[in-house]
Every structure is written in C-alpha cells, then in structure tokens.
Amino acid sequence: MFKRTAPNFLLRLALAGALCAAAAPALAVLSFDMSVSTKFTVAMHGDNPPPDDIKQYKVVLGERYLSVSAAGESMIYDFAQRRRYQVDLASASYVDYSLFDGIGSRKSELLNRAFLGENLRKAGAGPVFDPVFDEHNFSLTAAGRKLSESNEAGATVLAVDGNPLARIPAGGTSISASDAAQFERMMRYRFGGHPLVLARLSGEKRVPAGFVMHHKQIGYSEARTYTISALQHSAPASYDLKPYTARTAQGNEIDQLLDKAQANAAPPTAAVKQAFEAETAQAFADKRIFDGMLGMAEWSFVSGEPIKPTAQRTALLRADPATQAYLGLMRFKSKAELEAAVAKMQELRKSSTRKQHIVMLFEANLRGKLGDVRGALPLYASVLRTNPALAGAYKDMGDALYKMYETPRAWRSWDAGRRMAPALDLFKAVNQHEQNLLREHPEYF
C-alpha cells in the first residue's frame, strides 16, 4: 500500500497495466480504479493512531487471476497456478510467492490472537475487542456467527454478532456472478472483510460506486471508504511477466538464500548423483565412516532417494563410535536430553572432515525441537550456504520460519525444496497441509 505523493503516480499506474497485456482475446472481466480513504480514530485505551490517508489502486479482475496495482507496486494473484507475484515497478523485478501462505498465515495468526485474547480476558489484564473484528481483518470466521442487516439513510448496514462492519449504499454497476466472486476474492486477499459481509456483497451481483468498512486494530479504529470509478466490462485475459525479471538476491541472509533458490532450484542431475556416490565410496575406503554415513544422509536430503548401505558398510557403521553416538542422540526426547544432545552434536562436528554442515543440520533440528527456532535459523542458513541444493534443509528451515509466523518465507523455503526433491518424504506434511487448506477454505482458491 502506497501513498499518492509522487507526481508521476498516474504514469506508474499506467505502467502497471502492462502487467496484464496478453495476445489472447479479452474476456468479460472487470477493470476499475479504486480510491481507499482511511480515517483513524484512537481507541479508549490507545494513542497515536496512524495519520489519515488516501490511497489509489488500479484493479483488474481476470477469469483466473486478479491484480491490484498502486504507485510503485503491483500484486498479481494467479489462481490457476496458485501463485502470487509482488512486482516492484521501479526495478522491474518481482518475487514469486505461494497463494497458500496468505490463508496459512491468517489461520495461524487468528488462532494466536484468540488464545491471547482468552488469556487476557481470564486475567482481566487489558481491553480486548470482539474477535469478530479479527475475523473481519483476516477474512476468516468462526462457526455460528450471525449476519444482520439494517437500513440507514438508504444504505444497507451489515453487522456480525451485533458489530457494524460495513455500510453499502444502493446503486452501482451490475455484474455477473463470476465477476462478483472475483470482486469478493479481491477484497478478501487485498483489503480484508468478514466472510459473511463479503458473501452478502457478492450475492448482490453488483459493484457499488462506494462503500465503507469499519475495522478495529489494537489501540485504534479504522473507517475505510472505498470509491470505485472507471469500471469497464473488459480486461486482458491474462497477465504478462515478461517485462520483469525475478528479483536478484537481496535482503537478509535467508531472503538471499530464498531468492537464489527461486532462480536455481531443480532436481539433481545424473552427474551430481555420480559425484555423491563417488565421494561416499571414497569416504568408506578411507575409513572415514562417519563422513560416509553423513554423505548417504545428505544424498537422501538432496534427492529424496534413500541409500541402503551394503552389508559391509552396515558393519562399518555399527562399529564406528561417532556414527553410534549420532544415532543415540536422535533418540533423545526430554528437554534436558535435547539440550545435552545439542552440545554433543557440536562436538561431533570435529569427527567429520567434510560433512560438518550435515551435523550442523541435525543440530539445527534439535534446536527446533527445543523451541529455539531463532538459534536454529542461522545454522540452516550456514548449511545452505555450503550446499544450496539440500532440499531437506529447506523443509526444516521452512518449518522454523512457520513457527515464527514468517509464513511467506516459510512457503518460499518449502517450495524451493520441493522443486529440488518433490519425492522427499519430509514434504508429505506440507502437501497435506495445503490439501487441508484447499478443502477447508476453497474461497481463497
């Protein structure tokens, strides 16, 4: 979201329209301009709300995509590919994200807020507003909510469980049911809105010339006035990313790793497999048994293909102190045992000559089990600097990011790993999570 301050604002919005250029014939979809004026009001126990503002957007609702563009940025939502692209118009670059991260993030945050709110209510520790407003912000709802309507000066006022959330005047432009569904989806993704309110709006099969949404945040309230103009019943059938390039590696260390993985992630080649097999064989031949075991583990995390040791290698592994010490650490479960295992894993790095990064990966996972995700993340980053093709490390790093509510980065990490090793068993949990989201929230897809 950007303020209308630069004199070349309209020029930038025109440039954003190039995102939707396509050779295919146009379908009966919508494009329009939208102004969003937000007035902030301090709450009884809050102070210093943000300053009032007005922001301008150009919206395109395609058959299987939509885009919302502002000064300097365009966000494209591709429902056919289940991707979203955040385009920086100034640098002509974009970042590729998963559509799943939006609903995944909202579900986690809504549960977290419900938990915190319940604890605050029990403790009487502070003001807690109705969770309906969290649902309104995140476009998610709890079971049993009730929508009510009233009339105010010719406008329909929509309330959920007695909380007024929207004021929708009569009039506007009639649209098809499919266009209404896309308008609802655009509001859900970009601006929020309670599902009961959005469904009521969509059911009218019209785009109002203007309407108001009422939101509450911690410390202040918002009244957002949406004004829609220049609506046309035509738009490009697709969007075009060809004028833009994927963002070069930038940001902090993890973002740089994810940017590089976005550009380079791919399954290992036959030559890579041959090199792994040769390196592992040499480790056993040199009696570096621990390195041999770590090499076999590394290949499974790179390719998703486990290596079954020969009888001779199995005997060597059983007799190797470092390997047996490692296997013992994997059985620890209590907090005290896990803390001891982290220290012992650090010592085990000294037993490896070339695979310290795999020992570091196991240490990071132990830290994750302890809940020390902040301590685990630098280790994952170090591991991936050493071997950027380690799909299993992207899975584990994604898990750590997800626990920290860094959901977009978590899905970028999981996606990178799945492009490298889609058959890796570790990703079954991510795949199942996505299937659950599809089943439980089809309105997002």
Side-chain angles (χ1 to χ4, degrees):
M1 300 169 69
F2 295 85
K3 290 186 178 181
R4 185 176 184 175
T5 54
N8 61 348
F9 173 78
L10 293 177
L11 177 61
R12 292 192 178 196
L13 282 186
L15 178 60
L19 288 167
C20 302
L27 300 176
V29 290
L30 302 178
S31 64
F32 53 87
D33 295 337
M34 185 160 67
S35 171
V36 183
S37 174
T38 305
K39 182 175 180 58
F40 297 92
T41 304
V42 65
M44 183 181 300
H45 298 278
D47 58 2
N48 297 324
D52 297 348
D53 62 26
I54 300 177
K55 297 171 182 176
Q56 310 293 334
Y57 301 91
K58 184 173 287 292
V59 180
V60 177
L61 306 182
E63 184 180 26
R64 290 295 294 156
Y65 79 96
L66 62 86
S67 68
V68 182
S69 303
E73 179 187 84
S74 185
M75 189 74 79
I76 302 170
Y77 305 85
D78 184 330
F79 301 102
Q81 302 297 322
R82 294 173 184 155
R83 310 300 301 172
R84 65 182 175 91
Y85 303 95
Q86 184 175 4
V87 182
D88 184 285
L89 299 174
S91 63
S93 64
Y94 65 88
V95 182
D96 182 348
Y97 293 96
S98 170
L99 271 188
F100 286 104
D101 66 32
I103 178 60
S105 175
R106 294 179 189 201
K107 284 198 70 172
S108 296
E109 182 59 25
L110 193 62
L111 288 171
N112 182 52
R113 292 194 182 193
F115 174 77
L116 293 175
E118 183 62 24
N119 285 340
L120 286 172
R121 276 187 286 273
K122 288 179 179 178
V128 180
F129 56 80
D130 195 305
V132 163
F133 285 99
D134 281 331
E135 298 172 17
H136 190 43
N137 295 333
F138 294 132
S139 286
L140 289 171
T141 187
R145 297 295 187 205
K146 183 179 179 181
L147 179 72
S148 60
E149 300 183 24
S150 60
N151 188 278
E152 182 182 291
T156 300
V157 176
L158 301 177
V160 175
D161 286 5
N163 297 286
L165 300 182
R167 185 179 187 277
I168 307 173
T173 304
S174 296
I175 57 176
S176 68
S178 60
D179 288 344
Q182 281 293 72
F183 184 86
E184 176 185 357
R185 189 177 280 160
M186 180 275 296
M187 288 296 299
R188 175 179 293 113
Y189 265 101
R190 194 64 181 85
F191 301 101
H194 197 281
L196 295 180
V197 171
L198 295 182
R200 174 67 176 80
L201 177 59
S202 177
E204 293 190 357
K205 299 179 185 178
R206 68 183 174 99
V207 175
F211 58 97
V212 180
M213 292 279 199
H214 297 282
H215 294 261
K216 283 187 179 180
Q217 310 288 352
I218 296 175
Y220 60 88
S221 300
E222 302 177 33
R224 301 179 192 168
T225 300
Y226 296 82
T227 303
I228 294 171
S229 60
L231 188 146
Q232 299 181 17
H233 284 279
S234 64
S238 185
Y239 61 89
D240 186 7
L241 283 176
K242 289 194 291 292
Y244 307 91
T245 57
R247 185 179 73 184
T248 56
Q250 59 183 265
N252 64 25
E253 186 172 35
I254 290 175
D255 283 330
Q256 290 184 38
L257 286 167
L258 296 176
D259 286 341
K260 290 176 182 177
Q262 180 66 50
N264 302 313
T269 63
V272 170
K273 180 178 182 180
Q274 186 176 17
F276 260 99
E277 290 174 341
E279 183 183 27
T280 301
Q282 189 63 53
F284 280 102
D286 294 343
K287 296 298 187 280
R288 291 182 290 109
I289 310 305
F290 190 44
D291 274 354
M293 184 278 292
L294 294 173
M296 290 191 297
E298 183 174 22
W299 173 247
S300 70
F301 293 147
V302 165
S303 67
E305 302 173 2
I307 298 178
K308 185 176 181 179
T310 63
Q312 180 182 16
R313 288 183 178 180
T314 298
L316 291 171
L317 292 169
R318 286 175 177 169
D320 181 63
T323 298
Q324 293 307 306
Y326 156 75
L327 294 175
L329 297 179
M330 294 297 99
R331 292 190 289 268
F332 287 176
K333 294 183 179 181
S334 71
K335 181 179 179 181
E337 288 176 329
L338 288 170
E339 289 173 342
V342 167
K344 292 178 181 178
M345 197 67 78
Q346 291 172 339
E347 284 297 313
L348 277 177
R349 291 187 205 175
K350 302 173 184 177
S351 299
S352 173
T353 58
R354 299 180 185 177
K355 298 295 179 182
Q356 292 93 342
H357 60 290
I358 302 300
V359 183
M360 197 178 297
L361 174 60
F362 296 139
E363 179 190 337
N365 290 340
L366 289 172
R367 289 184 180 275
K369 290 181 180 179
L370 277 167
D372 181 19
V373 290
R374 293 190 181 278
L377 283 174
L379 296 176
Y380 289 128
S382 181
V383 169
L384 288 168
R385 281 199 309 271
T386 303
N387 184 356
L390 204 53
Y394 284 103
K395 163 59 171 64
D396 296 334
M397 185 170 74
D399 291 352
L401 291 166
Y402 192 78
K403 290 176 181 177
M404 294 179 67
Y405 295 93
E406 296 190 25
T407 313
R409 297 163 93 197
W411 248 282
R412 288 192 81 199
S413 193
W414 291 333
D415 285 346
R418 284 185 289 187
R419 287 195 301 274
M420 297 171 183
L424 185 61
D425 282 348
L426 291 174
F427 290 113
K428 287 182 178 179
V430 178
N431 298 337
Q432 185 59 55
H433 185 33
E434 291 180 346
Q435 290 303 308
N436 291 340
L437 292 173
L438 283 170
R439 184 182 66 257
E440 295 167 4
H441 298 283
E443 70 275 14
Y444 275 84
F445 303 97

